[in-house]
Amino acid sequence: MNGENFGASERLVDAAYVRQGAQGRRAHELRLRALLEQGKCPEDGWNESTIELFLHELAIMDSNNFLGNCGVGEREGRVASGLVARRHYRLIHGIGRSGDISAVQPKAAGSSLLNKLTNCIVLDIIKQSGVRTATSCFVVPMATGMSLTLCFLTLRHKRPKAKYIIWPRIDKKSCFKSMITAGFEPVVIENSLEGDELRTDLKAVEAKIQELGADNVLCLHSTTSCFAPRVPDRLEELAVICANHDIPHIVNNAYGVQSSKCMHLIQQGARLGRIDAFVQSLDKNFMVPVGGAVIAGFNDSFIQKISKMYPGRASASPSLDVLITLLSLGANGYRHLLKERKEMFSYLSTELKKLADVYNERLLDTPHNPISLAVSLEKLDERSNTAVTQLGSMLFTRQVSGARVVPLGSLQNVNNYTFKGFMSHANDYPCAYLNAAAAIGMGKQDVDLFLKRLDKCLKTFRKEKTQEKDVPETENFTMDSEIGKENGN
Amino acid sequence: MNGENFGASERLVDAAYVRQGAQGRRAHELRLRALLEQGKCPEDGWNESTIELFLHELAIMDSNNFLGNCGVGEREGRVASGLVARRHYRLIHGIGRSGDISAVQPKAAGSSLLNKLTNCIVLDIIKQSGVRTATSCFVVPMATGMSLTLCFLTLRHKRPKAKYIIWPRIDKKSCFKSMITAGFEPVVIENSLEGDELRTDLKAVEAKIQELGADNVLCLHSTTSCFAPRVPDRLEELAVICANHDIPHIVNNAYGVQSSKCMHLIQQGARLGRIDAFVQSLDKNFMVPVGGAVIAGFNDSFIQKISKMYPGRASASPSLDVLITLLSLGANGYRHLLKERKEMFSYLSTELKKLADVYNERLLDTPHNPISLAVSLEKLDERSNTAVTQLGSMLFTRQVSGARVVPLGSLQNVNNYTFKGFMSHANDYPCAYLNAAAAIGMGKQDVDLFLKRLDKCLKTFRKEKTQEKDVPETENFTMDSEIGKENGN
Amino acid sequence: MNGENFGASERLVDAAYVRQGAQGRRAHELRLRALLEQGKCPEDGWNESTIELFLHELAIMDSNNFLGNCGVGEREGRVASGLVARRHYRLIHGIGRSGDISAVQPKAAGSSLLNKLTNCIVLDIIKQSGVRTATSCFVVPMATGMSLTLCFLTLRHKRPKAKYIIWPRIDKKSCFKSMITAGFEPVVIENSLEGDELRTDLKAVEAKIQELGADNVLCLHSTTSCFAPRVPDRLEELAVICANHDIPHIVNNAYGVQSSKCMHLIQQGARLGRIDAFVQSLDKNFMVPVGGAVIAGFNDSFIQKISKMYPGRASASPSLDVLITLLSLGANGYRHLLKERKEMFSYLSTELKKLADVYNERLLDTPHNPISLAVSLEKLDERSNTAVTQLGSMLFTRQVSGARVVPLGSLQNVNNYTFKGFMSHANDYPCAYLNAAAAIGMGKQDVDLFLKRLDKCLKTFRKEKTQEKDVPETENFTMDSEIGKENGN
Amino acid sequence: MNGENFGASERLVDAAYVRQGAQGRRAHELRLRALLEQGKCPEDGWNESTIELFLHELAIMDSNNFLGNCGVGEREGRVASGLVARRHYRLIHGIGRSGDISAVQPKAAGSSLLNKLTNCIVLDIIKQSGVRTATSCFVVPMATGMSLTLCFLTLRHKRPKAKYIIWPRIDKKSCFKSMITAGFEPVVIENSLEGDELRTDLKAVEAKIQELGADNVLCLHSTTSCFAPRVPDRLEELAVICANHDIPHIVNNAYGVQSSKCMHLIQQGARLGRIDAFVQSLDKNFMVPVGGAVIAGFNDSFIQKISKMYPGRASASPSLDVLITLLSLGANGYRHLLKERKEMFSYLSTELKKLADVYNERLLDTPHNPISLAVSLEKLDERSNTAVTQLGSMLFTRQVSGARVVPLGSLQNVNNYTFKGFMSHANDYPCAYLNAAAAIGMGKQDVDLFLKRLDKCLKTFRKEKTQEKDVPETENFTMDSEIGKENGN
């Protein structure tokens, strides 16, 4: 409703009331304006009404929603199913253009605005979450792994000679694959055991660079967020090494935005040394559906180069999800979620420790890991060589999701590379263990239910010991042992 | 409602009516069953009610929707915004697993089913549309260009020595970039002019392979759907050349599923020679939002290899869109759309010819191109050197989208490669021209409006000629000349 | 997005594209303006996008959606459930005020506009459908029967002495009850049999008025739409009688808007005699969910008096439904539906006749009924005294809805009044019969399926006759015999 | 998905995961079953997913959603607009049948279930809220006032001689009109002033009954919830009077469900004397959109008689809203809302008192009113004879909704009856005042904002006093003075 329409309304409804209605509209418009002008996440969240109005406004700026449009191209944003059109708020043209995923589309001013604004808001949140000097980022509708691949592919053009990527080991297939897919040879640096923790072996990194020759190294590929007892890589030192050897440095910060520690490491790394880009998952940090990542960095032109590597237009769906989410939370709401996560981590940690004591197990001491915890399963493992895997299956069938049991000595071949002790980030970690994490959005109820169910499962084993012949809930064990092990992978 | 619940309902409502209600439910279930058992696109489309019921059923099979779930992992399908949860029908876990985009997720049986079914249905439609011997395909939430990149990256592991990709020229940035991004050197084969048509220069292809050595060639990268006057590549002959030289062959079939000619070419190519994979856009063929592609082929193990190259989980959004769309259309509905498109192409062709005659221009004779048409702009071009671009701007401001004017002699640098005559697929095409296409979903109204507006624009120029000093609607010409040219790119 | 916001958008997206987006918005606004200024149903239907934008705009004019509102009353439009808020587009305040259902609410300018516009548009459609001189109407969220009650209650204040309502018999409970509920004594005028048709006995009406004395008669309550073989009342003559005796005349036009004949009768009645109000169902005429009626008339002040009789605010839901529906159809679309209905009536009529012939039954000759048809069931009735009811059950279980079998000699007591031959509108109609109607929205598929199933059912009986002992599908007959008879009531 | 479908799914996805999905489904079904079997509001609220699944299940039990249905009646649940169908979850047939709003529809088992369940759940909540011995209730899609009318119309058939309704005065138009519309003569009993409170004058009631003769009195019409300084009627004593004189007793409990005091009064009245029915608004008690009421009582057969008075089918929309709302809140959630309301009332009361003191006004002492408060405006009124109304306008333009200023000496004619001191429930209340209420769903923010704005408005007047000539914000005063006064009516 514009001024003329409000005027016309006064024929039907008293002018005083219409005027107040117009004033009501104005308040929504002012919110939009602040967003458009500042390009920042609003401090307070918007309600659904404002968000939907906003999306509607964006949609009618796209040519497929023009009342008088005629389309004679091969891609006109036509949609066959009303269900589909509605769930995308009729924003059909995706993001980007043939040659640049961050580019503006002439046919779709609204979708283009959405894309730009999303990138602005996400950058704002990244800065507020600790990487204050980040200058540029963009949302890409691909997995974190595939986004890392895109970074590596971009670097290839800068370093045509390079074949290797130096990579402190982390046992997650997609991390390893991101390098393989890009066509490089990962050079695995085994972690060093310090107390219970697995930490970056800086000397090995340095030695490897020298051995291979800096020019032959495409980049260093480090990791922040990971399962305990591995802890975030020593980013500061690694960044300095990269700076010294003039080697690019790409950080896998998969679910690190939610942790001030991980973000601080990146900020420090960039300040003291070199970080070219850091990549994070949308779903793991912003509570949206799986499907997108953010590639961020400190140098506009390099980040732009990456965005220009994506050939073709892309799905706007992940951008839309994160835009809606951040607008509805507001910066305030997001901070609140981060604070709650921290508290939940501390609660989970305390309670897990108590439970571990009961069963003569140990909460592993991993103070550098701000998200994931590990409890030893030594006693359980001693019982039988399948007990650990059985525990995994039992938790799965009891609707505990995300808990991960790690038995000793798993071998795993990934793209012709054999990992010993797979899942434990080390060839010979001293004991089997169970992982649990306190990730963003977790509630106290999750922790309590988990502990109760875990307790019950462990009790079954203890009972089993006494009565030897009682096999606990055998039916569950027929399940694919994969479930037990990889549940959280 | 299961049997017990229907039983309980009889306490409140007469048993005879409840029984009929249960019978009503049964009919929806039977549809689902047929789908699950046959894995084919239903012949008749489903109504929204059945589709939504189905999606709801899938959603409650995912752990994030379990009423008693507790999540202690780092990725639990938690969603902060209700708007976001609803628009994805609460299917949050995406598709695939860490190492394979086609893999099943333990946490998300419903999403996994969705993924599998979508791939089955899309394969069914590809077969029905003409590539009868295709054996495997998967939907990937990436642009066609990026999907081509993924194919090339997969081939690298099979042909580590290869550096070149042979590519009959097509002037679309993302096609070229797909090879650059993958880290290969595109070897451009200029098209040969046959009548008005630009066709594959088979001899040049053959010669280039010999020159480079087959082992150094990663693959041949051919194209079906393209803007006239370029026509689909001679796939049959190219496939034979590939077979002879043992060179992989990847086909860019971007918007070719909608054309029986393009599909026939692929089928013939595969029958007579070698095609390893063909890639098509979801949005351009299935009337869904931008964002996904289908990678299909004739060899399960190769297609699976590609799907295993995608590192990480991916967005289910494009899969969901195409699933909803094909279920709502049914195979019948899709065939009907294809038939309509053919009719519209023929109508557009006839009418454009008439209009061209009026202005002493010519509908270029491009019988091998089943989707795109071109009208010469020779007379217009003679008028002034900006007239062609001006026409583009005028069409844009009149809400004609997708029409593309192609002036003579554009130079364009793409990733350090300079294209002469860019947009025309040839260094020196004889005349400037205008493109219009009849793509799936186009209506008669689109054609009529387009012709009316084009007529009006051309008239303006004619008038201008007579009255020399009258500049027609100058304000439009202040627009970025980019718009005029690249409108449809 | 207002001008300022579009301006701000140009910082992010090229001005030329934003300008075109603004132009796109403008087209929607112009539609709204035409509606607000003319208060007529738009000629062409609006798409969902414009409709939702419009509803969104209305909603933010209501105080419950003001961003800065504080509510300290007992009714503030607060909604506990998001599902509920969304399904009402956040229009929560209903329609009307404490003393008048058509009044404007200070708290809810948007809802008030909605209410006014709906009434305008519905009036426009009523006029276009044939009652050209109607001057006033309002939508009321009550059944047709309850709306008639409201009319009678309003008349009470004008005619305090009156106790009787003269009512040409129509066998539908709610019609009779509408008078009982209002506290009046219905005076039933039996219909006269003319050929197969049951028509108004004008002499009996005249005689009854004289017998009771005009002053003791509250009004005449006539009916247009009804089941064959009853036909619409002779409205012209009745209206003249009313005028002559100075008796109010209320017409039950339940599903008559869809028939030009019914509407013509009302127009003629009002022209030649007296009609005070005519009442129609929303769901039966406008394809919306059950729940509303329209009270219309030729005298503003009387119609307004009725609207002031409704004590309290009322549900906006039926108004919203009819508004959305008429905006999406447009006047064009509605006319098209009426045209299709007429064709379907003629098709149903022809086909039923053929089928009747096969079974030696007769399509009753009821040329004055434009919607409903009747087929005799004489032969069937001769077979056994339950055969007719059995046929009803059989049709019901075969998912034929709305078909109504009418056996001979049913007795029915409604509020202490006993109707002989209930359902047949006459004490002794000559034969049992089956009703089928061609109502708005019916498709050819409905007719074909119905005829096929009816044929099958009738065949069963014929077979049964020959093989005496074969009871056809007995289980169905265990159903409540009510179903068979009242299926369509 | 039934068992067979889960089985078929195992072809595509591992059986173990499918089994867990089936188990996930089972949990939702168990919730449904508990509801169907117990007919009670679930203790804990359901999430949206379960609610939508439930509604979807209901919808596919209705014949309009049968895949093989053919409809040949005049009312087949066809819907022209997809928007409309969706917002009603495709439940189109409304509730009730031609002769009874609580009856089951053969065509619509799902809608019928919905209707029955809603009535069960609402009854459960009414009992839990304090009227433990209520035995029967039904939701009716009409305003509280119109529902009262329906009760009166029902009583007419029991007491054909009666003409009068005894009514302790409450100044709300719809209350008065409910009797007028039903065709009765309201006999207004003025309230007696006790301290600041206006309370029922029991003696006057008793005297009036004797004067008119009990047989001539249709019923006593009392009120619980009302604006201070009127307080709920003395229900216990009135119920005893009714019992003694054998006079029916209808209670207007408009927004009383939210107050344990009001509910207690009804429970006590029914226990000690006679209450035939009590009527409450849906929107005011259950935070749903305006449009429905609940008629409840202690005698099944009388309540059923009322439901049989509604001629025709009715909108299911209000039933659907309250069903969704109560399922999503759960009994727990509803109790929590009631508790919060009580706290908010006490907070509002304390803070208003403080503010009143500042301006030398008084929070009127009305301990018997549990919802509404009144602050004297004596000082303000002394200033000028329009100041009180001006305050109302000022609050309105500042987006304070629901606050009500009551000047002295308003005269209002309602249906030929003149009320002196209208809005104050008394001919000569001692002072002008302002009302504010703490109704269900009010938040602390509402109270704080209200007090801040009220303070600011009152300050303006004080300033005005000092500077005599400064008229504060004159523009607002041009508003319809109606707004000031009736804002909350």
Side-chain angles (χ1 to χ4, degrees), chain C residues 68 70 72 76 87-88 92 99 143 156-157 177 180-181 290 308-310 313 317 321 401 437 453 489, chain D residues 68 70 72 76 87-88 92 143 156-157 177 180-181 290 308-310 313 317 321 399 401 437 453 489:
Chain C
C70 68
V72 294
E76 295 299 326
R87 82 181 203 87
H88 292 281
I92 307 301
R156 179 197 299 275
H157 294 267
K177 288 204 162 205
I180 296 289
T181 297
V290 165
K308 286 191 176 168
M309 288 300 282
Y310 188 102
R313 280 172 193 80
S317 212
D321 289 340
S401 66
R453 291 177 188 171
N489 213 21
Chain D
C70 68
V72 294
E76 295 299 327
R87 81 180 202 89
H88 292 280
I92 307 302
R156 179 198 298 277
H157 294 267
K177 288 204 160 202
I180 296 290
T181 296
V290 165
K308 286 192 175 167
M309 287 301 282
Y310 188 100
R313 278 172 195 79
S317 211
D321 289 339
Q399 304 196 337
S401 67
R453 291 177 188 171
N489 212 20

Side-chain angles (χ1 to χ4, degrees), chain B residues 310-323:
Chain B
Y310 188 101
R313 278 171 195 80
S315 172
S317 211
S319 294
L320 182 55
D321 289 339
V322 78
L323 178 67

